[in-house]
């Protein structure tokens, strides 16, 4: 992409900075800062297996400026230290690719849609629930784009508009993804950095997820009923469908779908495997290593049930891994920034500066501040895994100093990322969906801003509850 001037009378178009480029610039800035910013560190004590920052113990130490060689070796070291999460993210995508190859997921989702297409509320509830469940577990995120035509076809059949069709699928999915219950790409990564047990806080997060889902369903239903009463109330104005997407695909919802016995076994096997993992994680304290192994197990088992050959399973799995190389390696890239700050003894200097500014605030206000800060940063770093890898090493000691539990700090980042995901102009998924459906960005914002406001308030309330109950384990 290049910077250029369009035809006369048109506005200049500025290129979107790639997340890797942005993080590399941050990496250079941090390396330069090691030569000028005073180095310092906090004392830390061991509380069991967890290192806890000691409030008031910050002191100046000898600086350790980053050399030219160390600037680049930090990237390699970041990849090595982030390897468990990098491979987990890739293996998740690999397993999903095998499941998609069996046709089980597509058949199941279309069956859900078709079975309730003539009843508005009874259509919205199951569709949003299924897509959100796949979102909150991190199974369907970027691949939601492939299901947008199905949503547009449903909207055409109901004589609504393209925004309803996109919202049904996209917001249905992101009502779960924005408040993950067990997504390894964001929640799992953040909990690992915070030294929290994987899936800790599971029960409270399920409550958060259900509330977000219920509010999203209600909002989509309210919008649909408004258009049914008066079509001129559409956020798209008189042009209900800006392009021809879904125009000749009405058979997608009129033709009945049969889920084969083989596909039912694939779905049952995958579902039971995930349930077994959740139980073992809560009881046996499994970590991301076992989770990565689970996705390999699901890929092999589902492939065998679908009678795929060994070579076909391997090839499909690797092709799936390739789809998330971008999102996986950014974990290591972001980790490189933290390595520069840690080796240059600047990480604690940053934490001390933030703690000094936030010291007059109560833990409640501090938690909401983390929420807003992570939301603002997400406009620049649209990758959830990249932002988590960069922010959590700073927020964990800051939370210790402000007497905020690490579980609350993790959730503040999840809320911040989630709040911005569906309005972020640097989000490749959002912009691809809007381009595919022909919905102008401005009209999408007009539609979704009230829901974003509701999400923000709910997120703040849950953070306040989390602080009040000392949500942990720590």
């Amino acid at each position: 992409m290049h910077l250029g001037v369009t035809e006369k009378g048109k506005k200049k178009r500025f290129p979107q900075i790639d997340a890797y480029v942005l993080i590399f610039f941050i990496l250079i800035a941090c390396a330069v800062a090691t030569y000028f910013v005073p180095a310092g560190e906090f004392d830390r004590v061991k509380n069991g297996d967890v290192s806890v920052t000691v409030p008031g113990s910050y002191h100046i130490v000898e600086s350790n400026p980053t050399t030219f060689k160390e600037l680049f070796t930090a990237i390699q070291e970041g990849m090595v230290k982030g390897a468990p999460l990098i491979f987990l993210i890739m293996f998740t995508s690999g397993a999903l690719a095998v499941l998609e190859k069996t046709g089980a997921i597509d058949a199941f989702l279309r069956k859900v849609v078709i079975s309730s297409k003539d009843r508005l509320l009874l259509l919205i509830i199951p569709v949003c629930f299924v897509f959100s469940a796949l979102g909150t577990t991190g199974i369907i995120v970027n691949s939601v784009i492939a299901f947008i035509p199905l949503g547009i076809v449903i909207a055409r059949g109901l004589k609504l508009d393209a925004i309803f069709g996109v919202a049904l699928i996209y917001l249905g999915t992101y009502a779960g993804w924005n408040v993950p219950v067990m997504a390894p790409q964001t929640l799992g990564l953040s909990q690992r950095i915070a030294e929290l047990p994987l899936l800790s806080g599971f029960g409270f997060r399920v409550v958060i997820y259900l509330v977000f889902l219920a509010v999203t369903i209600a909002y989509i239903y309210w919008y649909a009923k408004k258009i049914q009463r008066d079509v001129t109330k559409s956020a798209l104005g008189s042009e209900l469908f800006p392009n021809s997407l879904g125009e000749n695909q009405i058979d997608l919802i009129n033709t009945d779908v049969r889920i084969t016995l083989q596909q039912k076994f694939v779905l049952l096997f995958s579902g039971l495997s995930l349930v077994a993992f959740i139980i073992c994680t809560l009881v046996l304290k499994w970590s991301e290593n076992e989770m990565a192994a689970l996705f390999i197990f699901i890929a092999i088992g589902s492939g065998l049930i679908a009678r795929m050959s060994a070579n076909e399973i391997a090839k499909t799995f690797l092709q799936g891994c390739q789809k998330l190389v971008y999102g996986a390696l950014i974990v290591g890239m972001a980790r490189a920034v933290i390595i520069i700050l840690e080796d240059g003894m600047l990480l604690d200097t940053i934490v001390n500066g933030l703690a000094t500014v936030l010291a007059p605030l109560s833990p409640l206000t501090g938690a909401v501040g983390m929420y807003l800060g992570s939301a603002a940063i997400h406009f620049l770093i649209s990758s959830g895994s990249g932002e988590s890898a960069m922010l959590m090493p700073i927020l964990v000691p800051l939370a210790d100093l402000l007497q905020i539990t690490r579980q609350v700090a993790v959730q503040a980042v999840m809320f911040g990322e989630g709040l911005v995901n569906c309005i972020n102009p640097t989000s490749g998924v959002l912009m691809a969906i809007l381009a595919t459906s022909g919905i102008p960005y401005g009209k999408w914002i007009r539609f979704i801003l009230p829901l974003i406001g509701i999400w923000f308030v709910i997120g703040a309330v849950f953070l306040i509850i989390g602080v009040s109950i000392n949500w942990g384990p720590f």
Side-chain angles (χ1 to χ4, degrees), residues 130-408:
V130 170
F131 274 96
S132 68
L134 295 171
T136 199
T137 52
I139 294 174
I140 288 186
V141 185
N142 295 348
S143 55
V144 69
I145 298 170
F147 296 96
I148 294 301
L150 179 61
I152 298 295
V153 169
I154 294 170
R156 286 183 181 277
L158 294 173
K159 295 180 171 50
L160 295 171
D161 66 0
I163 282 183
F164 171 81
V166 168
L168 182 67
I169 305 299
Y170 175 57
L171 292 186
T173 303
Y174 273 63
W177 171 246
N178 290 345
V179 283
V181 170
M182 59 175 290
Q185 302 96 318
T186 52
L187 179 60
L189 170 61
S190 296
Q191 288 188 322
R192 183 175 187 270
I193 294 172
E195 299 180 282
L196 288 164
L198 188 64
L199 297 190
S200 57
F202 183 81
F204 193 48
R205 282 197 172 88
V206 170
V207 174
I208 294 172
Y209 155 66
L210 291 175
V211 171
F212 267 76
L213 174 60
V215 166
T216 305
I217 288 173
Y219 188 80
I220 295 173
Y221 179 66
W222 165 80
Y223 180 76
K225 292 298 288 184
K226 183 176 72 169
I227 296 177
Q228 282 186 335
R229 287 192 296 268
D230 184 357
V231 74
T232 63
K233 298 292 185 181
S234 168
L236 291 172
S238 59
E239 195 175 25
L240 299 181
F241 295 93
N243 62 22
S244 60
L245 181 67
E247 205 169 49
N248 302 313
Q249 295 176 291
I250 202 69
D251 285 346
L252 281 176
I253 60 170
N254 286 338
T255 305
D256 192 24
V257 175
R258 178 174 171 267
I259 303 177
T260 66
L261 182 62
Q262 187 182 81
Q263 290 172 336
K264 289 178 181 177
F265 276 124
V266 168
L267 293 170
L268 181 64
F269 170 76
S270 302
L272 290 177
S273 297
L274 287 172
V275 170
F277 172 77
I278 292 172
I279 294 171
C280 289
T281 300
L282 297 175
V283 176
L284 302 177
K285 308 301 179 188
W286 278 8
S287 68
E288 65 274 2
N289 289 335
E290 286 82 4
M291 194 173 194
L294 169 77
F295 285 113
I296 298 174
F297 175 70
I298 288 176
I300 294 173
S302 299
L304 292 176
I305 292 172
R307 297 182 180 178
M308 295 169 61
S309 68
N311 284 351
E312 191 177 6
I313 294 172
K315 183 179 179 180
T316 305
F317 183 83
L318 291 174
Q319 287 174 340
C321 290
Q322 290 171 9
K323 292 180 181 179
L324 275 192
V325 167
Y326 183 96
L329 293 185
I330 203 167
V331 172
M333 194 72 179
R335 182 64 182 143
V337 173
I338 302 304
I339 288 172
I340 292 289
L341 294 175
E342 286 177 339
D343 291 349
M345 313 300 285
L346 293 190
L347 187 61
D348 282 359
T349 299
I350 294 172
V351 172
N352 182 62
L354 291 172
T356 302
V357 172
L358 298 176
L361 303 179
S362 66
L364 291 176
T365 313
V368 174
M370 291 180 178
Y371 178 15
L372 294 173
S374 61
I377 290 174
H378 200 54
F379 279 107
L380 298 175
I381 305 174
S382 61
S383 165
S385 53
E387 182 178 351
S388 295
M390 186 176 294
L391 269 187
M392 286 314 302
I394 296 173
L395 294 186
V396 166
L398 184 61
D400 292 342
L401 295 173
L402 297 178
Q403 298 183 330
I404 298 171
T405 65
R406 296 183 179 188
Q407 197 73 262
V408 170

Side-chain angles (χ1 to χ4, degrees), residues 413-467:
V413 173
M414 297 300 102
F415 279 147
E417 293 177 358
L419 186 70
V420 171
N421 273 332
C422 297
I423 58 172
N424 192 355
T426 66
S427 167
V429 175
L430 172 61
M431 300 315 287
I433 287 173
L434 295 183
T436 300
S437 60
I439 298 173
Y441 177 74
K443 292 185 177 181
W444 172 257
I445 292 299
R446 175 187 169 192
F447 158 75
I448 201 175
L449 270 184
L451 180 60
I452 296 297
I454 296 169
W455 280 351
F456 170 74
V457 172
I458 294 173
V461 169
F462 274 115
L463 282 181
I464 291 170
I465 293 172
V467 172

Side-chain angles (χ1 to χ4, degrees), residues 33-47:
T34 61
Y35 287 87
F36 303 103
V37 179
E41 64 180 357
F42 286 99
D43 293 332
R44 287 175 170 80
V45 295
K46 278 284 187 179
N47 184 3

